[in-house]
């Protein structure tokens, strides 16, 4: 059956999978909804998006995504409040960042109206998939990849833009144990670390697995030149609290400009919390852990929101963080999630009703 929604052609799935889903026990990102949004770039322009049943993609073996890695993505979430209204959190920031990534990876930018109107149409169609179990949400994955063919080392001439949904539970459960990395680097000056490029994550998997084998959950990356300064974790920006001051590394070519990160900095300013965006030396972190001034560390990102760090390891020594009452991590998580789920006033204009 085909209908028209906001000038976007919709082909509905013949049957729904929703009855097979246990919404009270959702893992992260491995159950997918009935439909997806697709737009193809051909002959120099993007085609009007269409909504189709969620399905496999057929590509030629010479498709350039397989050979030269032109692939970018975003991570977003949709929420339902107690009145069943659907909300997004700072969606235009995701759209803008996707296009920043696209430009760096020589991928044509997606028109903002295709992104937003397509996303809204898909959310309205899949509204019953948005979970309301505490801690759960509908994870949204917009992505673009090179679908054009050819073995020549050059940008593709065709691309696909897709938005897919996955009702999901928490990304991390409990506190996180991290290892400060000294050998491997996530990115370098002049590179693509600031872009949400698939290859950034592929390059992390091996050193992260080495850390997992040692009993850690994640790696904290250090600068590529000296490995003296912490920068970010595998899936998160990093925050450090020394006494009552909140520290985080400045964004750069190497560090993703996280939307949750930006939200935390704004909330901290609003709460009167002292903030310093500066380089954070590993030696400073260790000294603060030893003298008791290191009160907390946490990661921040769309998938994890806020993940408190319980322990960090460096050169075969583990440093445990204290249980801090009235933690900044708990404060920021409550402020952000209360806005996301429409439980509190949004004084920043971040919440977007679908």
């Amino acid at each position: 059956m085909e209908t028209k929604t906001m000038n976007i052609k919709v082909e509905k799935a013949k049957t729904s999978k929703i009855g097979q889903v246990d919404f009270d026990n959702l893992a992260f990102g491995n159950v997918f909804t009935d439909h997806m949004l697709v737009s193809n770039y051909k002959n120099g322009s993007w085609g009007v998006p269409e909504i189709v049943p969620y399905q496999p993609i057929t590509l030629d073996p010479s498709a350039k995504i397989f050979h030269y890695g032109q692939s970018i993505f975003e991570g977003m979430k949709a929420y339902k409040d107690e009145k069943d209204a659907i909300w997004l959190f700072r969606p235009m920031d995701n759209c803008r960042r996707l296009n920043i990534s696209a430009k760096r990876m020589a991928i044509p930018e997606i028109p903002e109206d295709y992104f937003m109107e397509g996303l809204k149409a898909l959310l309205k169609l899949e509204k019953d998939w948005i979970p309301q179990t505490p801690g759960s949400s509908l994870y949204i994955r917009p992505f673009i990849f090179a679908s054009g063919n050819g073995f020549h080392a050059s940008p593709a001439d065709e691309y696909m833009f897709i938005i897919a949904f996955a009702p999901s539970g928490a990304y991390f459960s409990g506190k996180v144990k991290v290892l400060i990395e000294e050998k491997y680097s996530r990115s370098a000056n002049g590179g693509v670390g600031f872009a949400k490029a698939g290859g950034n994550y592929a390059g992390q998997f091996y050193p992260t697995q080495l850390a997992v084998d040692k009993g850690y959950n994640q790696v904290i990356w250090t600068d590529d030149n000296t490995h003296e300064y912490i920068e970010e974790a595998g899936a998160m920006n990093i925050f450090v609290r020394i006494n009552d001051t909140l520290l985080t590394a400045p964004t750069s070519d190497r560090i993703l400009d996280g939307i949750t990160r930006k939200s935390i900095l704004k909330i901290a300013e609003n709460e009167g919390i002292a903030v310093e965006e500066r380089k954070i030396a590993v030696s400073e972190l260790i000294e603060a852990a030893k003298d008791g001034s290191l009160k907390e560390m946490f990661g921040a990102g769309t998938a994890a929101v806020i993940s408190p760090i319980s322990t960090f390891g460096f050169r075969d020594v583990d440093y445990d963080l204290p249980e801090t009452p009235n933690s900044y991590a708990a404060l920021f998580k409550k402020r952000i999630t209360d806005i996301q789920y429409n439980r509190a006033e949004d004084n920043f204009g971040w919440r977007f009703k679908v």
Side-chain angles (χ1 to χ4, degrees):
M1 179 174 66
E2 293 186 358
T3 60
K4 294 277 186 178
T5 303
M6 303 174 72
N7 297 320
I8 294 173
K9 188 168 118 178
V10 178
E11 179 188 348
K12 289 189 176 180
K14 293 179 180 178
T15 58
S16 175
K17 303 170 291 189
I18 196 167
Q20 305 166 22
V21 178
D22 181 359
F23 282 90
D24 293 325
N25 294 285
L26 288 169
F28 184 88
N30 62 7
V31 172
F32 307 100
T33 66
D34 291 325
H35 300 89
M36 62 186 189
L37 182 90
V38 179
S39 175
N40 288 286
Y41 181 90
K42 294 181 179 181
N43 301 317
S45 64
W46 286 102
V48 175
E50 298 182 1
I51 293 174
V52 299
Y54 186 89
Q55 60 191 276
I57 300 165
T58 300
L59 294 171
D60 192 279
S62 69
K64 290 199 172 185
I65 178 57
F66 301 135
H67 307 280
Y68 303 113
Q70 280 182 289
S71 174
I72 57 173
F73 69 94
E74 273 298 316
M76 309 169 64
K77 288 179 177 178
Y79 313 85
K80 263 189 185 177
D81 64 18
E82 294 180 350
K83 296 182 179 179
D84 269 1
I86 302 170
W87 301 92
L88 295 166
F89 184 72
R90 306 186 70 166
M92 285 304 302
D93 287 297
N94 291 102
C95 182
R96 283 189 285 266
R97 191 171 64 180
L98 184 70
N99 281 331
I100 288 170
S101 298
K103 185 175 181 179
R104 180 61 182 85
M105 300 300 290
I107 293 171
E109 297 178 27
I110 190 78
E112 288 186 355
D113 59 338
Y114 283 16
F115 183 101
M116 288 302 302
E117 295 304 309
L119 176 57
K120 288 190 291 184
L122 188 58
L123 280 169
K124 288 176 181 179
L125 182 63
E126 304 285 63
K127 62 183 184 299
D128 292 340
W129 284 87
I130 304 173
Q132 291 180 282
T133 305
S136 297
S137 58
L138 185 70
Y139 186 76
I140 299 169
R141 173 55 61 87
F143 59 105
I144 305 175
F145 63 91
S147 56
N149 303 332
F151 291 149
H152 188 268
S154 60
D157 57 359
E158 295 184 3
Y159 297 85
M160 288 187 74
F161 168 63
I162 295 176
I163 300 178
F165 294 162
S168 296
Y171 191 82
F172 290 117
S173 57
K175 293 191 175 182
V176 179
K177 184 177 180 181
V178 298
L179 177 66
I180 296 177
E181 178 59 51
E182 283 193 283
K183 178 179 179 181
Y184 298 97
S185 296
R186 177 186 175 274
S187 58
N189 288 332
V192 298
F194 68 92
K196 282 190 76 71
N200 288 343
Y201 295 79
Q204 295 180 35
F205 293 155
Y206 175 67
T208 299
Q209 187 57 51
L210 296 179
V212 169
D213 292 343
K214 294 178 181 178
Y216 299 91
N217 303 103
Q218 271 285 354
V219 164
I220 289 186
W221 303 102
T222 49
D223 67 287
D224 65 300
N225 186 25
T226 67
H227 294 290
E228 293 178 7
Y229 301 97
I230 67 169
E231 296 202 327
E232 68 175 33
M236 303 178 289
N237 294 115
I238 290 293
F239 287 84
V240 174
R241 176 183 174 185
I242 295 180
N243 291 319
D244 289 334
T245 300
L246 187 67
L247 311 176
T248 194
T251 56
S252 67
D253 286 349
R254 303 185 306 275
I255 298 177
L256 186 72
D257 187 13
I259 292 166
T260 306
R261 174 189 180 276
K262 291 193 290 190
S263 304
I264 287 170
L265 293 176
K266 192 64 180 178
I267 292 168
E269 177 189 338
N270 194 60
E271 294 284 339
I273 294 170
V275 174
E276 295 179 9
E277 290 184 75
R278 63 168 175 82
K279 291 182 176 181
I280 306 168
V282 177
S283 58
E284 178 184 8
L285 200 61
I286 291 170
E287 186 60 33
K290 289 179 177 178
D291 67 21
S293 60
L294 179 61
K295 302 302 182 184
E296 55 182 313
M297 294 173 61
F298 55 90
T302 297
V305 188
I306 305 286
S307 288
I309 292 171
S310 60
T311 303
F312 73 88
F314 182 71
R315 294 182 180 174
D316 299 320
V317 178
D318 283 347
Y319 299 87
D320 294 325
L321 278 82
E323 290 283 345
T324 301
N326 303 313
S327 72
Y328 288 173
L331 169 68
F332 295 134
K333 184 169 186 177
K334 183 173 184 352
R335 291 285 188 274
I336 290 172
T337 55
D338 280 353
I339 291 171
Q340 290 171 335
Y341 288 93
N342 194 29
R343 296 191 293 249
E345 287 296 317
D346 174 15
N347 297 318
F348 306 104
W350 293 337
R351 192 165 53 218
F352 180 93
K353 189 172 185 179
V354 176

